[in-house]
Amino acid sequence: QVQLVESGGGLVQAGGSLRLSCSASLSIFRFNNLGWYRQAPGKQRELVATVISGAYTNYADSVKGRFTISRDVAKNTMYLQMNSLKPEDTAVYYCRMTQVGVDYWGQGTQVTVSS
């Protein structure tokens, strides 16, 4: 059973930074797609950033230039560095890893940005 555990969420003022972590219970080399998603109250879950095949990154337009997705294979961990945070970034953030067409999700971590 694959487990993903997120951490790093919290309350921050607008303009601040946070780094989210997503630790996997097995080597992240096994996953062809890694990604971060978020869901704000009353809204659908949306893509924030993805890494495809360990090389290609993709970002939502709303976070380009502010957020950076990365991974540390040795630590089986994926990260989301979030800078210049805005109140509209407030949401529950989820990590997702895909292995041979099967999706695994973390439990979510709350990020709240105050104005």
Side-chain angles (χ1 to χ4, degrees), residues 9-49:
L11 174 64
V12 64
Q13 288 188 332
S17 298
L18 285 173
R19 189 178 78 158
L20 305 183
S21 300
C22 175
S23 297
S25 57
L26 49 76
S27 173
I28 61 175
F29 259 138
R30 294 173 177 263
F31 301 99
N32 49 308
N33 289 340
L34 310 176
W36 288 97
Y37 293 73
R38 67 186 181 187
Q39 187 166 18
K43 295 187 177 181
Q44 290 188 331
R45 191 172 297 188
E46 63 176 1
L47 168 72
V48 176

mmCIF file of all heavy atoms in Angstrom, residues 9-49:
data_model
loop_
_atom_site.group_PDB
_atom_site.id
_atom_site.type_symbol
_atom_site.label_atom_id
_atom_site.label_comp_id
_atom_site.label_asym_id
_atom_site.label_seq_id
_atom_site.Cartn_x
_atom_site.Cartn_y
_atom_site.Cartn_z
ATOM 1 N N GLY A 9 2.279 22.856 5.587
ATOM 2 C CA GLY A 9 1.244 23.873 5.490
ATOM 3 C C GLY A 9 1.198 24.742 6.732
ATOM 4 O O GLY A 9 1.865 24.477 7.727
ATOM 5 N N GLY A 10 0.397 25.800 6.652
ATOM 6 C CA GLY A 10 0.258 26.677 7.800
ATOM 7 C C GLY A 10 -0.335 28.011 7.424
ATOM 8 O O GLY A 10 -0.882 28.187 6.327
ATOM 9 N N LEU A 11 -0.222 28.935 8.347
ATOM 10 C CA LEU A 11 -0.732 30.297 8.162
ATOM 11 C C LEU A 11 0.440 31.224 7.890
ATOM 12 O O LEU A 11 1.430 31.223 8.630
ATOM 13 C CB LEU A 11 -1.474 30.745 9.415
ATOM 14 C CG LEU A 11 -1.960 32.193 9.461
ATOM 15 C CD1 LEU A 11 -2.999 32.442 8.374
ATOM 16 C CD2 LEU A 11 -2.523 32.523 10.842
ATOM 17 N N VAL A 12 0.312 32.029 6.844
ATOM 18 C CA VAL A 12 1.377 32.955 6.473
ATOM 19 C C VAL A 12 0.755 34.237 5.958
ATOM 20 O O VAL A 12 -0.362 34.223 5.416
ATOM 21 C CB VAL A 12 2.305 32.311 5.408
ATOM 22 C CG1 VAL A 12 1.551 32.043 4.118
ATOM 23 C CG2 VAL A 12 3.548 33.148 5.172
ATOM 24 N N GLN A 13 1.467 35.334 6.124
ATOM 25 C CA GLN A 13 0.980 36.608 5.594
ATOM 26 C C GLN A 13 1.238 36.693 4.101
ATOM 27 O O GLN A 13 2.165 36.058 3.574
ATOM 28 C CB GLN A 13 1.659 37.766 6.314
ATOM 29 C CG GLN A 13 1.195 37.963 7.747
ATOM 30 C CD GLN A 13 1.736 39.234 8.367
ATOM 31 O OE1 GLN A 13 2.819 39.693 7.980
ATOM 32 N NE2 GLN A 13 1.011 39.804 9.315
ATOM 33 N N ALA A 14 0.447 37.493 3.439
ATOM 34 C CA ALA A 14 0.649 37.729 2.014
ATOM 35 C C ALA A 14 2.078 38.203 1.771
ATOM 36 O O ALA A 14 2.611 39.024 2.522
ATOM 37 C CB ALA A 14 -0.348 38.753 1.498
ATOM 38 N N GLY A 15 2.692 37.660 0.720
ATOM 39 C CA GLY A 15 4.077 37.973 0.406
ATOM 40 C C GLY A 15 5.069 37.006 1.020
ATOM 41 O O GLY A 15 6.253 37.026 0.659
ATOM 42 N N GLY A 16 4.597 36.164 1.921
ATOM 43 C CA GLY A 16 5.471 35.209 2.582
ATOM 44 C C GLY A 16 5.689 33.954 1.766
ATOM 45 O O GLY A 16 5.239 33.838 0.624
ATOM 46 N N SER A 17 6.403 33.015 2.393
ATOM 47 C CA SER A 17 6.763 31.770 1.714
ATOM 48 C C SER A 17 6.457 30.566 2.598
ATOM 49 O O SER A 17 6.474 30.663 3.832
ATOM 50 C CB SER A 17 8.264 31.760 1.374
ATOM 51 O OG SER A 17 8.602 32.810 0.501
ATOM 52 N N LEU A 18 6.204 29.453 1.940
ATOM 53 C CA LEU A 18 6.070 28.162 2.596
ATOM 54 C C LEU A 18 6.660 27.109 1.680
ATOM 55 O O LEU A 18 6.663 27.275 0.454
ATOM 56 C CB LEU A 18 4.597 27.808 2.870
ATOM 57 C CG LEU A 18 3.865 28.511 4.007
ATOM 58 C CD1 LEU A 18 2.383 28.123 3.978
ATOM 59 C CD2 LEU A 18 4.475 28.152 5.354
ATOM 60 N N ARG A 19 7.126 26.016 2.282
ATOM 61 C CA ARG A 19 7.555 24.869 1.487
ATOM 62 C C ARG A 19 6.785 23.641 1.946
ATOM 63 O O ARG A 19 6.865 23.247 3.112
ATOM 64 C CB ARG A 19 9.058 24.615 1.615
ATOM 65 C CG ARG A 19 9.532 23.551 0.620
ATOM 66 C CD ARG A 19 11.024 23.294 0.669
ATOM 67 N NE ARG A 19 11.415 22.458 1.799
ATOM 68 C CZ ARG A 19 12.538 21.751 1.850
ATOM 69 N NH1 ARG A 19 13.386 21.795 0.837
ATOM 70 N NH2 ARG A 19 12.835 21.041 2.919
ATOM 71 N N LEU A 20 6.060 23.064 1.007
ATOM 72 C CA LEU A 20 5.326 21.837 1.270
ATOM 73 C C LEU A 20 6.189 20.638 0.910
ATOM 74 O O LEU A 20 6.959 20.690 -0.047
ATOM 75 C CB LEU A 20 4.029 21.795 0.464
ATOM 76 C CG LEU A 20 3.078 22.985 0.628
ATOM 77 C CD1 LEU A 20 1.812 22.739 -0.190
ATOM 78 C CD2 LEU A 20 2.745 23.220 2.076
ATOM 79 N N SER A 21 6.024 19.570 1.686
ATOM 80 C CA SER A 21 6.726 18.320 1.416
ATOM 81 C C SER A 21 5.718 17.191 1.277
ATOM 82 O O SER A 21 4.660 17.209 1.919
ATOM 83 C CB SER A 21 7.681 17.981 2.567
ATOM 84 O OG SER A 21 8.648 18.985 2.758
ATOM 85 N N CYS A 22 6.046 16.233 0.441
ATOM 86 C CA CYS A 22 5.220 15.046 0.271
ATOM 87 C C CYS A 22 6.157 13.846 0.261
ATOM 88 O O CYS A 22 6.927 13.667 -0.691
ATOM 89 C CB CYS A 22 4.433 15.123 -1.027
ATOM 90 S SG CYS A 22 3.469 13.633 -1.399
ATOM 91 N N SER A 23 6.102 13.057 1.314
ATOM 92 C CA SER A 23 6.981 11.904 1.447
ATOM 93 C C SER A 23 6.228 10.641 1.068
ATOM 94 O O SER A 23 5.105 10.416 1.534
ATOM 95 C CB SER A 23 7.491 11.798 2.889
ATOM 96 O OG SER A 23 8.275 12.921 3.219
ATOM 97 N N ALA A 24 6.881 9.823 0.252
ATOM 98 C CA ALA A 24 6.279 8.571 -0.218
ATOM 99 C C ALA A 24 6.841 7.388 0.551
ATOM 100 O O ALA A 24 7.975 7.414 1.031
ATOM 101 C CB ALA A 24 6.535 8.398 -1.709
ATOM 102 N N SER A 25 6.030 6.318 0.632
ATOM 103 C CA SER A 25 6.445 5.125 1.378
ATOM 104 C C SER A 25 7.337 4.205 0.555
ATOM 105 O O SER A 25 7.778 3.170 1.052
ATOM 106 C CB SER A 25 5.209 4.362 1.877
ATOM 107 O OG SER A 25 4.368 4.021 0.791
ATOM 108 N N LEU A 26 7.561 4.564 -0.713
ATOM 109 C CA LEU A 26 8.506 3.825 -1.521
ATOM 110 C C LEU A 26 9.195 4.776 -2.483
ATOM 111 O O LEU A 26 8.872 5.962 -2.522
ATOM 112 C CB LEU A 26 7.817 2.675 -2.275
ATOM 113 C CG LEU A 26 6.535 2.984 -3.045
ATOM 114 C CD1 LEU A 26 6.798 3.714 -4.334
ATOM 115 C CD2 LEU A 26 5.784 1.688 -3.317
ATOM 116 N N SER A 27 10.156 4.261 -3.225
ATOM 117 C CA SER A 27 10.963 5.117 -4.090
ATOM 118 C C SER A 27 10.096 5.871 -5.092
ATOM 119 O O SER A 27 9.274 5.287 -5.777
ATOM 120 C CB SER A 27 11.991 4.284 -4.842
ATOM 121 O OG SER A 27 12.655 5.092 -5.794
ATOM 122 N N ILE A 28 10.320 7.174 -5.169
ATOM 123 C CA ILE A 28 9.521 7.959 -6.118
ATOM 124 C C ILE A 28 9.972 7.753 -7.561
ATOM 125 O O ILE A 28 9.325 8.243 -8.484
ATOM 126 C CB ILE A 28 9.516 9.460 -5.750
ATOM 127 C CG1 ILE A 28 10.917 10.052 -5.780
ATOM 128 C CG2 ILE A 28 8.836 9.675 -4.414
ATOM 129 C CD1 ILE A 28 10.918 11.557 -5.549
ATOM 130 N N PHE A 29 11.037 6.985 -7.748
ATOM 131 C CA PHE A 29 11.416 6.579 -9.100
ATOM 132 C C PHE A 29 10.314 5.733 -9.741
ATOM 133 O O PHE A 29 10.202 5.663 -10.958
ATOM 134 C CB PHE A 29 12.712 5.758 -9.068
ATOM 135 C CG PHE A 29 13.932 6.539 -9.450
ATOM 136 C CD1 PHE A 29 15.117 6.403 -8.748
ATOM 137 C CD2 PHE A 29 13.927 7.396 -10.548
ATOM 138 C CE1 PHE A 29 16.246 7.119 -9.097
ATOM 139 C CE2 PHE A 29 15.043 8.116 -10.907
ATOM 140 C CZ PHE A 29 16.211 7.974 -10.175
ATOM 141 N N ARG A 30 9.519 5.080 -8.902
ATOM 142 C CA ARG A 30 8.457 4.215 -9.410
ATOM 143 C C ARG A 30 7.299 4.995 -10.030
ATOM 144 O O ARG A 30 6.461 4.417 -10.708
ATOM 145 C CB ARG A 30 7.928 3.349 -8.271
ATOM 146 C CG ARG A 30 8.948 2.349 -7.720
ATOM 147 C CD ARG A 30 8.394 1.653 -6.493
ATOM 148 N NE ARG A 30 9.304 0.646 -5.978
ATOM 149 C CZ ARG A 30 9.209 -0.635 -6.248
ATOM 150 N NH1 ARG A 30 8.232 -1.067 -7.026
ATOM 151 N NH2 ARG A 30 10.068 -1.492 -5.740
ATOM 152 N N PHE A 31 7.246 6.303 -9.745
ATOM 153 C CA PHE A 31 6.108 7.097 -10.195
ATOM 154 C C PHE A 31 6.502 7.908 -11.424
ATOM 155 O O PHE A 31 7.510 8.597 -11.428
ATOM 156 C CB PHE A 31 5.645 8.037 -9.089
ATOM 157 C CG PHE A 31 5.231 7.325 -7.837
ATOM 158 C CD1 PHE A 31 6.108 7.227 -6.766
ATOM 159 C CD2 PHE A 31 3.984 6.751 -7.739
ATOM 160 C CE1 PHE A 31 5.736 6.570 -5.606
ATOM 161 C CE2 PHE A 31 3.601 6.093 -6.581
ATOM 162 C CZ PHE A 31 4.481 6.003 -5.514
ATOM 163 N N ASN A 32 5.696 7.828 -12.473
ATOM 164 C CA ASN A 32 6.031 8.549 -13.689
ATOM 165 C C ASN A 32 5.562 9.999 -13.640
ATOM 166 O O ASN A 32 6.131 10.868 -14.295
ATOM 167 C CB ASN A 32 5.486 7.839 -14.925
ATOM 168 C CG ASN A 32 4.028 7.449 -14.789
ATOM 169 O OD1 ASN A 32 3.647 6.813 -13.830
ATOM 170 N ND2 ASN A 32 3.223 7.822 -15.761
ATOM 171 N N ASN A 33 4.532 10.264 -12.872
ATOM 172 C CA ASN A 33 4.049 11.633 -12.734
ATOM 173 C C ASN A 33 3.933 12.000 -11.253
ATOM 174 O O ASN A 33 3.387 11.228 -10.453
ATOM 175 C CB ASN A 33 2.675 11.801 -13.374
ATOM 176 C CG ASN A 33 2.731 11.734 -14.883
ATOM 177 O OD1 ASN A 33 3.797 11.932 -15.470
ATOM 178 N ND2 ASN A 33 1.618 11.450 -15.502
ATOM 179 N N LEU A 34 4.425 13.167 -10.924
ATOM 180 C CA LEU A 34 4.298 13.717 -9.573
ATOM 181 C C LEU A 34 3.616 15.070 -9.686
ATOM 182 O O LEU A 34 3.912 15.826 -10.632
ATOM 183 C CB LEU A 34 5.674 13.910 -8.922
ATOM 184 C CG LEU A 34 6.651 12.741 -8.952
ATOM 185 C CD1 LEU A 34 7.992 13.160 -8.347
ATOM 186 C CD2 LEU A 34 6.089 11.549 -8.199
ATOM 187 N N GLY A 35 2.753 15.392 -8.737
ATOM 188 C CA GLY A 35 2.084 16.675 -8.857
ATOM 189 C C GLY A 35 1.517 17.202 -7.565
ATOM 190 O O GLY A 35 1.337 16.457 -6.598
ATOM 191 N N TRP A 36 1.267 18.489 -7.576
ATOM 192 C CA TRP A 36 0.575 19.176 -6.485
ATOM 193 C C TRP A 36 -0.726 19.756 -7.019
ATOM 194 O O TRP A 36 -0.761 20.320 -8.109
ATOM 195 C CB TRP A 36 1.438 20.313 -5.914
ATOM 196 C CG TRP A 36 2.599 19.852 -5.110
ATOM 197 C CD1 TRP A 36 3.889 19.704 -5.540
ATOM 198 C CD2 TRP A 36 2.596 19.471 -3.730
ATOM 199 N NE1 TRP A 36 4.687 19.253 -4.516
ATOM 200 C CE2 TRP A 36 3.914 19.107 -3.396
ATOM 201 C CE3 TRP A 36 1.615 19.405 -2.742
ATOM 202 C CZ2 TRP A 36 4.271 18.682 -2.114
ATOM 203 C CZ3 TRP A 36 1.975 18.996 -1.481
ATOM 204 C CH2 TRP A 36 3.289 18.635 -1.167
ATOM 205 N N TYR A 37 -1.762 19.609 -6.226
ATOM 206 C CA TYR A 37 -3.081 20.135 -6.555
ATOM 207 C C TYR A 37 -3.587 20.900 -5.330
ATOM 208 O O TYR A 37 -3.066 20.735 -4.224
ATOM 209 C CB TYR A 37 -4.044 18.992 -6.887
ATOM 210 C CG TYR A 37 -3.677 18.273 -8.154
ATOM 211 C CD1 TYR A 37 -2.584 17.417 -8.206
ATOM 212 C CD2 TYR A 37 -4.421 18.449 -9.323
ATOM 213 C CE1 TYR A 37 -2.218 16.770 -9.377
ATOM 214 C CE2 TYR A 37 -4.082 17.799 -10.495
ATOM 215 C CZ TYR A 37 -2.979 16.962 -10.515
ATOM 216 O OH TYR A 37 -2.634 16.327 -11.671
ATOM 217 N N ARG A 38 -4.616 21.709 -5.550
ATOM 218 C CA ARG A 38 -5.197 22.417 -4.414
ATOM 219 C C ARG A 38 -6.692 22.556 -4.591
ATOM 220 O O ARG A 38 -7.210 22.530 -5.715
ATOM 221 C CB ARG A 38 -4.555 23.792 -4.237
ATOM 222 C CG ARG A 38 -4.836 24.785 -5.363
ATOM 223 C CD ARG A 38 -4.012 26.058 -5.145
ATOM 224 N NE ARG A 38 -4.278 27.051 -6.184
ATOM 225 C CZ ARG A 38 -3.604 28.186 -6.318
ATOM 226 N NH1 ARG A 38 -2.609 28.481 -5.454
ATOM 227 N NH2 ARG A 38 -3.911 29.039 -7.271
ATOM 228 N N GLN A 39 -7.365 22.701 -3.469
ATOM 229 C CA GLN A 39 -8.807 22.872 -3.494
ATOM 230 C C GLN A 39 -9.202 23.916 -2.467
ATOM 231 O O GLN A 39 -8.983 23.730 -1.262
ATOM 232 C CB GLN A 39 -9.518 21.552 -3.208
ATOM 233 C CG GLN A 39 -11.017 21.622 -3.389
ATOM 234 C CD GLN A 39 -11.664 20.251 -3.426
ATOM 235 O OE1 GLN A 39 -11.079 19.254 -3.001
ATOM 236 N NE2 GLN A 39 -12.866 20.190 -3.948
ATOM 237 N N ALA A 40 -9.751 25.009 -2.978
ATOM 238 C CA ALA A 40 -10.243 26.072 -2.115
ATOM 239 C C ALA A 40 -11.698 25.791 -1.767
ATOM 240 O O ALA A 40 -12.389 25.064 -2.498
ATOM 241 C CB ALA A 40 -10.102 27.411 -2.817
ATOM 242 N N PRO A 41 -12.199 26.357 -0.674
ATOM 243 C CA PRO A 41 -13.591 26.120 -0.296
ATOM 244 C C PRO A 41 -14.557 26.490 -1.409
ATOM 245 O O PRO A 41 -14.459 27.574 -2.004
ATOM 246 C CB PRO A 41 -13.774 27.040 0.915
ATOM 247 C CG PRO A 41 -12.420 27.203 1.482
ATOM 248 C CD PRO A 41 -11.488 27.189 0.307
ATOM 249 N N GLY A 42 -15.463 25.587 -1.720
ATOM 250 C CA GLY A 42 -16.463 25.846 -2.743
ATOM 251 C C GLY A 42 -15.973 25.747 -4.163
ATOM 252 O O GLY A 42 -16.719 26.048 -5.105
ATOM 253 N N LYS A 43 -14.723 25.326 -4.345
ATOM 254 C CA LYS A 43 -14.158 25.233 -5.696
ATOM 255 C C LYS A 43 -13.692 23.813 -5.972
ATOM 256 O O LYS A 43 -13.480 23.020 -5.063
ATOM 257 C CB LYS A 43 -12.994 26.214 -5.857
ATOM 258 C CG LYS A 43 -13.402 27.677 -5.776
ATOM 259 C CD LYS A 43 -12.239 28.579 -6.115
ATOM 260 C CE LYS A 43 -12.656 30.034 -6.114
ATOM 261 N NZ LYS A 43 -11.522 30.937 -6.477
ATOM 262 N N GLN A 44 -13.497 23.539 -7.245
ATOM 263 C CA GLN A 44 -12.991 22.229 -7.640
ATOM 264 C C GLN A 44 -11.489 22.146 -7.408
ATOM 265 O O GLN A 44 -10.787 23.167 -7.396
ATOM 266 C CB GLN A 44 -13.297 21.970 -9.120
ATOM 267 C CG GLN A 44 -14.767 21.747 -9.415
ATOM 268 C CD GLN A 44 -15.000 21.308 -10.849
ATOM 269 O OE1 GLN A 44 -14.233 21.645 -11.750
ATOM 270 N NE2 GLN A 44 -16.056 20.547 -11.064
ATOM 271 N N ARG A 45 -11.021 20.928 -7.236
ATOM 272 C CA ARG A 45 -9.582 20.718 -7.103
ATOM 273 C C ARG A 45 -8.908 21.083 -8.426
ATOM 274 O O ARG A 45 -9.398 20.723 -9.503
ATOM 275 C CB ARG A 45 -9.289 19.266 -6.747
ATOM 276 C CG ARG A 45 -7.863 19.006 -6.327
ATOM 277 C CD ARG A 45 -7.700 17.581 -5.794
ATOM 278 N NE ARG A 45 -8.507 17.361 -4.594
ATOM 279 C CZ ARG A 45 -8.433 16.260 -3.850
ATOM 280 N NH1 ARG A 45 -7.578 15.299 -4.173
ATOM 281 N NH2 ARG A 45 -9.204 16.119 -2.792
ATOM 282 N N GLU A 46 -7.791 21.792 -8.330
ATOM 283 C CA GLU A 46 -7.106 22.235 -9.541
ATOM 284 C C GLU A 46 -5.626 21.892 -9.481
ATOM 285 O O GLU A 46 -5.027 21.781 -8.409
ATOM 286 C CB GLU A 46 -7.265 23.756 -9.724
ATOM 287 C CG GLU A 46 -6.638 24.588 -8.624
ATOM 288 C CD GLU A 46 -6.730 26.087 -8.883
ATOM 289 O OE1 GLU A 46 -7.300 26.491 -9.920
ATOM 290 O OE2 GLU A 46 -6.233 26.853 -8.039
ATOM 291 N N LEU A 47 -5.062 21.766 -10.672
ATOM 292 C CA LEU A 47 -3.637 21.496 -10.799
ATOM 293 C C LEU A 47 -2.834 22.729 -10.396
ATOM 294 O O LEU A 47 -3.171 23.846 -10.789
ATOM 295 C CB LEU A 47 -3.312 21.128 -12.246
ATOM 296 C CG LEU A 47 -1.850 21.076 -12.639
ATOM 297 C CD1 LEU A 47 -1.193 19.856 -12.023
ATOM 298 C CD2 LEU A 47 -1.698 21.048 -14.158
ATOM 299 N N VAL A 48 -1.783 22.507 -9.642
ATOM 300 C CA VAL A 48 -0.850 23.586 -9.304
ATOM 301 C C VAL A 48 0.448 23.406 -10.082
ATOM 302 O O VAL A 48 0.906 24.322 -10.758
ATOM 303 C CB VAL A 48 -0.556 23.605 -7.791
ATOM 304 C CG1 VAL A 48 0.497 24.669 -7.458
ATOM 305 C CG2 VAL A 48 -1.832 23.842 -7.002
ATOM 306 N N ALA A 49 1.038 22.216 -9.987
ATOM 307 C CA ALA A 49 2.316 21.968 -10.650
ATOM 308 C C ALA A 49 2.533 20.467 -10.789
ATOM 309 O O ALA A 49 2.080 19.694 -9.935
ATOM 310 C CB ALA A 49 3.474 22.573 -9.860
#
